[in-house]
Amino acid sequence: MINVAILGYGTVGAGVYKVLDMNRETIARRVGEELYVKYVLDLRDFPGDPAQEVLTHNYNDILTDSDVMIVVETMGGLNPAYKFTKLALEAGKSVCTSNKELVAEKGLELRDIAKANHVNYLFEASCGGGIPIIHALDNALTADEIDAVTGILNGTTNYILTQMAEENEEFSEALKGAQKKGYAELHPEADIEGWDACRKIAILSSLAYGKYVSYKDVFTEGIKDIDTVDIAYAKSMGFKIKLLASSRRTEEGAWLMVAPKLVDGKNMLYHVNGVLNAVYVHGNALGDCILYGSGAGSLPTASAVAGDVISAARNHGRPIPSDWSDDALPLIPIDDVRNVFFVRFAGTADEAEAAFGKIEKVMIPEAEGEFGFFTTEMTEKEFRDAAEKSGKVIKAIRRA
Amino acid sequence: MINVAILGYGTVGAGVYKVLDMNRETIARRVGEELYVKYVLDLRDFPGDPAQEVLTHNYNDILTDSDVMIVVETMGGLNPAYKFTKLALEAGKSVCTSNKELVAEKGLELRDIAKANHVNYLFEASCGGGIPIIHALDNALTADEIDAVTGILNGTTNYILTQMAEENEEFSEALKGAQKKGYAELHPEADIEGWDACRKIAILSSLAYGKYVSYKDVFTEGIKDIDTVDIAYAKSMGFKIKLLASSRRTEEGAWLMVAPKLVDGKNMLYHVNGVLNAVYVHGNALGDCILYGSGAGSLPTASAVAGDVISAARNHGRPIPSDWSDDALPLIPIDDVRNVFFVRFAGTADEAEAAFGKIEKVMIPEAEGEFGFFTTEMTEKEFRDAAEKSGKVIKAIRRA
C-alpha cells in the first residue's frame, strides 16, 4: 500500500482524488500495489464529500507521517505551495503537481532538491493538462535534438478566439461566455495577456533543449487587442488567429515568443479549436510531431497528475532522469527575431510600398478606409522601423 | 561508456546508427554516459560506410561480448530476429526493436524473458514510427481506463488514399506512385490488405487495456477495393476515406477492426494526410488525446528506436513496468459490432427502404445507375442480412 496526500481540494485536487478512486483497480495493477489517499489538506471543510474523512487543516500531519510516500500539490500559486513542496521533498516524499506558476518560478530548484533526496518532483499537468508532452520530452523523444516547440497551451484564449471566428462574437462577448462556462476566471489577465502560455512554453523549452529558460525572458503578447476585423481578414485569406507559444533554436541563437499568429489550414494547429490544446515539436530525426488533447479541466488535468503519482510510485527512491539543467539557454534579442507580418494599413498602397517594399493588397468589406498586406520576412526591429516610417500601420499580426 | 550492437543495417538500422552518431553529445548528456555502437551485424558489406569498421557477419561476436549492454534489432521478419532477440535477452542484454511482426507475434513472451533477466524489451518504433504512443501508454496515461484506440497506423495506405482524394488518382496509379517514392514495397500486400495496421492495433490495444489481444483476432479489411467513385461520394459529403485501425472496450465487450472508414472534418484524423500517422486514445479521465507524426521513414523510426536505447541505458538492470499481461481480452463476435454504413446501392429507393428502413439518397454525377445512403447504426450481421435481402448493394463503407 502506497500512501498519498493531496494538498488543495479544488478543481484539480478533487479530480485527482476522483481518478485515484474510480480507477483504483487498474492503477493498483499498474503500480503493483494499491494507492491510498491518506490525507487531503484544505482550509475548508467538505461535509458529505468522501474527502472529509481524510481531511486535515494541518500540513504537519502529512509532513511528519512517514507512511506518506507521495504528495500531490494542487494548491496553485507560489506560497505556501513552494514551502510545502520543499518540505515534502526534504522529508523524502515525491511531489506531483499541476502548479505551473511554481514550476516556472522554482521548478529547477525543486527538481534539484528532489534529486538530492532520491525522490521525484513531477509536473506533467503543468503544461497542456492531460497531454503527455512532458513525459514525451523526458522519456521518448530523448534521442533527438529538438529545435522547435510551438503550442496552443491556453484553453481559455483558444476558446475565445474560436468563438470569435466561428460565432462572430466580439472579444468582450467571447470572454464573458468563457467566464460563464467556467473556462475563464473572473480576473482573466493571466490567460488573455498570455502569461499562462508564457510560463508553459518556458517550461517545455527548458526540457526540450536541456537548457534553462526563465519565463521572464519570453516576449509575450496577449489576445485582448484582437478584434472582429482581424478575424475577418484572417478568414478571408484561409487563416485562423491562434495564440501560439513558440520557441526556436537556430544556428543564430534561440528565441521564445507568445503572440497571436495567423495559422493556415495545412498546419494541424489550425484545427485545434475550443478549449483544446496541442503542442508541436520538431526534432532533427523525429521530424514533426504533435500531441493534442484537453489542456485543462478537472479530470484531464487530474489524469496527468495521477499518471505522475504512478510514475513516482514506480520510481520510489530513484529520481527519473530529466534534461533540465541550470545552464541558461542563450537567447537572441527579440529585435532580431524574423517574422512575416500581416499589416492593417490606413494609408495608400504607395505609402505602404515606400515603407515595406512591394505589397499585395488584401481588401475585405468589413474593413473600411484600410487594407491589409503581408510583409516579407523581416526582423522585429526592421518591422517597427518600417511601421514608424510609414506612420499608417493600424496593427500587425505575425504569420505562423 | 555503454556499448550497443545493431542487428540489420537496412533503412531503420542505418538510421539508428546515424541518429546515435549525429546526436552523440546530447544523448550522452541525457544518459549520463556515452553510447557507442560496437557492432553492426549484417550479411552484406558496406565499403566506405562508417559502419563497415564495426561490421560483423557473426552474431556470436555480439552475443558473447559482455560489454554489449543493448542490442538494436532492426532486421524485421520473424526469423532469425526471434531467435537472436531471445538469445540476447537471456544473455542479459536489453533489446530495442522496430519489428512489429515479431512484437505482434512474440512480444509478450519476449517481454517476459526480458523481465526474468532484469533487462528490457522495448518497441516504441513498432507502432507509429516516431510517434511516442507506446511510451505514452506505458508511462504517462497510466491513471486512465483507456476505452478506445484508433489510429492511422500505415503511411503507405494513407498516402494512397490522400493521392486518390487530392489528385483524383485511381488506386493502382496511386499505388504505383507510392512504390516509386519508396513509400510502398514491391509486394505491398502487408500494407494495402491492412495486415500491417492490424498488427499495430493489436499491440497498442494490448498495452492500452492491459489484456492480451492476438492480431489474428482482429477483423481486417484493406483498401484495395476503394475506387474513385467511393472517394467522390465521400468528398461530396465532406468526408475522407481513411484506413482506420480501431479498438473499443465497452460494457458489452471489446472489439478490434481495421477497415477503410468515412471520417468527417471535425475528427482530427481527417486532417492526417500523406504518409503521416496519428493515434487517437480515449481515457475515462483524460478524454480525447491524439498523437500525430511521421509513422515511417528511416530517421523518424530510428528516433523512436534510439529513444528506447536511451531508456534501456537509463534503466539498466531494471525492467520498465508495462501493463501487457497474458490474460486475454475477451472479444465480442465481429457480427455483433455496431456501425453506421454508407451504402452504394444499385436498386430503387423503395428497394433500399424495404431492406434498410428510411433512407436519404445521396446522388453524385460520378456515379451512374446507383445512389448512396447512410444506414442507421446496426450490427455487422444485421447489415449483411439487409444487404443480402435487398440484393442490390454494390459496396458499403463504415462511418468512423
Side-chain angles (χ1 to χ4, degrees):
Chain A
M1 162 109 75
I2 291 171
N3 289 293
V4 177
I6 298 174
L7 316 186
Y9 199 66
T11 310
V12 179
V16 174
Y17 189 94
K18 188 171 174 187
V19 170
L20 293 179
D21 183 54
M22 78 181 177
N23 294 341
R24 179 170 301 280
E25 272 180 54
T26 300
I27 291 173
R29 190 180 72 231
R30 289 178 182 155
V31 173
E33 269 183 90
E34 268 211 45
L35 289 186
Y36 173 72
V37 178
K38 193 169 177 183
Y39 300 97
V40 167
L41 177 77
D42 206 290
L43 291 174
R44 298 163 291 180
D45 278 297
F46 301 93
D49 188 295
Q52 181 69 28
E53 283 170 44
V54 293
L55 195 75
T56 174
H57 303 306
N58 185 354
Y59 184 48
N60 267 326
D61 292 348
I62 295 165
L63 200 60
T64 57
D65 186 339
S66 61
D67 281 356
V68 174
M69 189 198 281
I70 299 162
V71 170
V72 169
E73 188 269 294
T74 45
M75 314 176 76
L78 289 184
N79 286 302
Y82 171 56
K83 190 177 135 198
F84 285 4
T85 299
K86 205 171 157 184
L87 288 170
L89 295 170
E90 286 168 352
K93 303 174 195 306
S94 287
V95 176
C96 305
T97 189
S98 59
N99 187 337
K100 62 225 163 203
E101 293 92 342
L102 184 57
V103 175
E105 187 80 41
K106 300 280 188 186
L108 193 55
E109 179 197 340
L110 291 169
R111 199 166 254 203
D112 284 346
I113 295 174
K115 225 170 165 179
N117 288 280
H118 310 288
V119 292
N120 281 291
Y121 181 54
L122 304 174
F123 42 82
E124 178 64 71
S126 67
C127 299
I131 301 173
I133 178 64
I134 291 180
H135 265 86
L137 292 173
D138 271 353
N139 298 293
L141 310 181
T142 45
D144 273 69
E145 290 282 356
I146 307 286
D147 51 28
V149 181
T150 292
I152 294 177
L153 295 174
N154 181 272
T156 307
T157 45
N158 203 49
Y159 174 84
I160 291 172
L161 292 169
T162 303
Q163 288 298 107
M164 290 178 75
E166 292 185 357
E167 309 295 335
N168 297 314
E169 292 181 4
E170 302 266 353
F171 173 80
S172 58
E173 196 182 348
L175 171 60
K176 261 181 221 151
Q179 286 170 321
K180 224 170 166 178
K181 294 204 166 196
Y183 297 154
E185 296 176 43
L186 193 60
H187 299 288
E189 291 74 19
D191 293 321
I192 65 174
E193 302 277 5
W195 306 333
D196 175 76
C198 155
R199 284 180 169 78
K200 291 170 178 170
I201 192 68
I203 297 169
L204 293 179
S205 303
S206 295
L207 296 171
Y209 307 142
K211 302 257 184 193
Y212 181 70
V213 187
S214 167
Y215 71 93
K216 290 166 192 155
D217 295 329
V218 181
F219 174 89
T220 302
E221 240 181 60
I223 64 159
K224 68 176 194 305
D225 293 332
I226 300 295
D227 61 31
T228 50
V229 179
D230 301 327
I231 301 279
Y233 270 116
K235 212 181 272 187
S236 77
M237 302 182 293
F239 288 86
K240 283 183 187 168
I241 299 176
K242 297 285 183 190
L243 182 66
L244 297 188
S246 316
S247 70
R248 289 286 178 282
R249 202 168 49 159
T250 69
E251 299 273 305
E252 295 86 46
W255 55 262
L256 288 89
M257 175 179 281
V258 174
K261 289 191 178 169
L262 289 162
V263 178
D264 71 25
K266 284 183 199 150
N267 187 328
M268 286 293 275
L269 298 180
Y270 177 95
H271 306 288
V272 177
N273 292 320
V275 290
L276 287 156
N277 278 201
V279 189
Y280 163 85
V281 172
H282 184 271
N284 67 345
L286 176 69
D288 296 336
C289 184
I290 294 176
L291 280 68
Y292 162 95
S294 298
S298 174
L299 286 184
T301 309
S303 158
V305 178
D308 275 350
V309 170
I310 293 167
S311 291
R314 283 171 165 182
N315 289 278
H316 185 56
R318 175 182 177 279
I320 299 170
S322 146
D323 198 16
W324 196 358
S325 83
D326 50 12
D327 194 8
L329 181 71
L331 298 177
I332 54 174
I334 203 71
D335 272 356
D336 297 345
V337 173
R338 304 182 72 80
N339 272 300
V340 169
F341 298 80
F342 178 74
V343 178
R344 286 174 55 188
F345 198 79
T348 65
D350 285 346
E351 290 171 314
E353 295 200 334
F356 290 95
K358 186 102 191 78
I359 62 151
E360 265 183 60
K361 274 165 82 168
V362 178
M363 304 194 50
I364 57 168
E366 292 85 348
E368 273 176 50
E370 62 168 275
F371 61 87
F373 62 88
F374 280 106
T375 67
T376 53
E377 195 181 275
M378 57 205 304
T379 67
E380 293 279 332
K381 171 139 197 352
E382 284 163 356
F383 172 75
R384 270 207 324 276
D385 290 347
E388 204 167 300
K389 181 177 165 195
S390 79
K392 299 280 173 74
V393 170
I394 301 171
K395 173 189 290 194
I397 301 175
R398 298 168 187 86
R399 199 180 69 189
Chain B
M1 163 108 76
I2 291 172
N3 288 293
V4 177
I6 298 174
L7 315 185
Y9 199 67
T11 311
V12 179
V16 174
Y17 189 94
K18 188 170 174 188
V19 170
L20 293 179
D21 184 52
M22 77 180 178
N23 295 341
R24 178 171 302 279
E25 271 181 56
T26 301
I27 291 173
R29 190 182 69 228
R30 288 178 182 156
V31 173
E33 270 184 87
E34 267 213 46
L35 289 185
Y36 173 71
V37 178
K38 191 167 178 185
Y39 301 97
V40 167
L41 176 77
D42 205 291
L43 292 173
R44 299 163 290 180
D45 277 299
F46 302 93
D49 189 294
Q52 182 69 28
E53 283 170 44
V54 294
L55 195 75
T56 174
H57 303 305
N58 184 356
Y59 184 47
N60 267 326
D61 291 349
I62 295 164
L63 200 59
T64 57
D65 186 338
S66 61
D67 281 355
V68 174
M69 190 199 280
I70 300 163
V71 170
V72 169
E73 187 270 293
T74 45
M75 316 176 75
L78 289 183
N79 285 300
Y82 170 57
K83 192 178 134 196
F84 284 5
T85 299
K86 205 171 156 183
L87 288 169
L89 295 171
E90 286 167 352
K93 303 174 195 307
S94 286
V95 177
C96 305
T97 189
S98 59
N99 187 335
K100 62 225 160 200
E101 294 90 343
L102 184 57
V103 175
E105 188 80 39
K106 300 282 188 186
L108 193 54
E109 180 197 339
L110 291 169
R111 199 165 254 204
D112 284 346
I113 295 173
K115 223 169 165 179
N117 289 280
H118 310 288
V119 292
N120 281 291
Y121 181 56
L122 303 175
F123 41 82
E124 179 64 71
S126 67
C127 298
I131 302 173
I133 177 65
I134 291 180
H135 265 87
L137 291 173
D138 272 354
N139 298 295
L141 309 181
T142 45
D144 272 70
E145 290 282 356
I146 307 284
D147 52 28
V149 181
T150 292
I152 293 176
L153 294 174
N154 181 271
T156 308
T157 45
N158 203 49
Y159 175 82
I160 292 171
L161 292 170
T162 302
Q163 288 299 107
M164 291 177 75
E166 291 185 358
E167 309 295 334
N168 296 315
E169 292 182 4
E170 301 265 352
F171 173 79
S172 58
E173 196 182 348
L175 172 60
K176 261 181 223 150
Q179 286 169 324
K180 224 171 167 178
K181 295 204 166 195
Y183 298 154
E185 298 177 41
L186 194 60
H187 299 287
E189 291 74 19
D191 292 322
I192 65 173
E193 302 277 5
W195 306 333
D196 174 76
C198 155
R199 284 180 170 78
K200 291 170 177 169
I201 192 66
I203 296 169
L204 293 179
S205 304
S206 294
L207 295 172
Y209 307 142
K211 302 258 184 192
Y212 181 70
V213 186
S214 168
Y215 71 92
K216 290 165 190 155
D217 295 329
V218 181
F219 175 88
T220 302
E221 242 181 58
I223 64 157
K224 68 176 193 307
D225 294 333
I226 299 296
D227 61 30
T228 50
V229 179
D230 300 327
I231 301 278
Y233 271 117
K235 211 181 275 187
S236 76
M237 302 182 294
F239 289 86
K240 284 184 187 167
I241 299 175
K242 296 286 181 190
L243 183 66
L244 297 188
S246 317
S247 69
R248 289 286 177 283
R249 202 167 51 157
T250 69
E251 297 274 305
E252 295 85 45
W255 55 262
L256 287 89
M257 175 179 283
V258 174
K261 290 191 178 170
L262 289 162
V263 177
D264 70 27
K266 284 183 200 153
N267 188 327
M268 286 292 277
L269 298 179
Y270 177 95
H271 306 288
V272 177
N273 291 321
V275 290
L276 287 156
N277 278 201
V279 189
Y280 162 85
V281 172
H282 185 271
N284 67 345
L286 175 68
D288 296 337
C289 184
I290 294 176
L291 279 69
Y292 164 94
S294 297
S298 175
L299 287 184
T301 309
S303 156
V305 178
D308 275 349
V309 170
I310 292 167
S311 291
R314 284 172 165 181
N315 290 277
H316 184 57
R318 176 183 176 277
I320 299 170
S322 144
D323 197 18
W324 197 357
S325 83
D326 50 11
D327 194 8
L329 181 70
L331 299 177
I332 54 173
I334 204 73
D335 273 356
D336 297 345
V337 174
R338 304 182 73 80
N339 272 301
V340 169
F341 298 81
F342 178 74
V343 179
R344 287 176 54 189
F345 198 77
T348 65
D350 284 347
E351 289 171 315
E353 296 200 335
F356 290 95
K358 187 102 192 74
I359 62 150
E360 267 184 58
K361 276 165 83 168
V362 178
M363 305 194 50
I364 56 168
E366 292 85 348
E368 272 177 49
E370 62 168 278
F371 61 87
F373 62 88
F374 280 107
T375 68
T376 53
E377 194 180 276
M378 58 205 305
T379 68
E380 292 280 331
K381 173 142 194 349
E382 285 163 355
F383 171 76
R384 271 208 322 279
D385 290 347
E388 203 168 300
K389 183 176 162 194
S390 78
K392 301 278 173 75
V393 170
I394 300 170
K395 174 189 290 194
I397 301 175
R398 296 168 188 88
R399 198 179 70 189

